[in-house]
């Protein structure tokens, strides 16, 4: 049977490569986190700008501007029902 002899042996190769591998993985994690943070901040600023522009333009057609009135009516009806039932 023919055998192969590797020089340097696996332990020496692993000992020399492991610090580089760990450093690379840590760098990737930090880099990914930084990119996500920048993207998140960019998205927040874009949404704030879009909302400010929409606010400046005024109400959007089809937007339910009577929602607060509807909620007030529901609360009033619920309270009236509670008072009727003696609650």
């Amino acid at each position: 049977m023919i055998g192969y002899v590797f020089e340097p042996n696996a332990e020496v190769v692993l000992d020399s490569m492991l610090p580089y591998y760990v450093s690379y993985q840590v760098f990737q994690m930090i880099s990914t986190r930084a990119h996500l943070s920048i993207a998140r901040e960019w998205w927040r600023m874009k949404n704030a700008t879009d909302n400010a522009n929409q606010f400046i333009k005024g109400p959007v057609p089809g937007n339910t501007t009577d929602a607060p009135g509807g909620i007030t009516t529901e609360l009033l009806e619920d309270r009236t029902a509670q008072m009727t039932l003696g609650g």
Side-chain angles (χ1 to χ4, degrees):
M1 178 172 185
I2 299 175
Y4 295 97
V5 177
F6 294 101
E7 289 187 23
N9 64 13
E11 185 177 341
V12 172
V13 171
L14 185 61
D15 285 344
S16 65
M17 294 296 292
L18 190 60
Y20 294 111
Y21 177 75
V22 171
S23 296
Y24 175 77
Q25 291 298 323
V26 169
F27 174 77
Q28 286 295 326
M29 286 187 291
I30 292 171
S31 177
T32 300
R33 184 163 177 97
H35 286 112
L36 290 174
S37 177
I38 291 168
R40 185 175 39 247
E41 192 62 30
W42 179 85
W43 195 255
R44 285 180 186 160
M45 293 302 291
K46 181 186 180 312
N47 285 339
T49 301
D50 291 347
N51 289 339
N53 288 336
Q54 186 177 8
F55 181 75
I56 291 169
K57 290 177 185 175
V60 177
N63 196 1
T64 55
T65 55
D66 61 337
I71 293 171
T72 304
T73 304
E74 288 180 24
L75 291 173
L76 182 61
E77 290 172 354
D78 288 345
R79 184 64 183 142
T80 304
Q82 288 176 353
M83 290 174 62
T84 304
L85 295 174

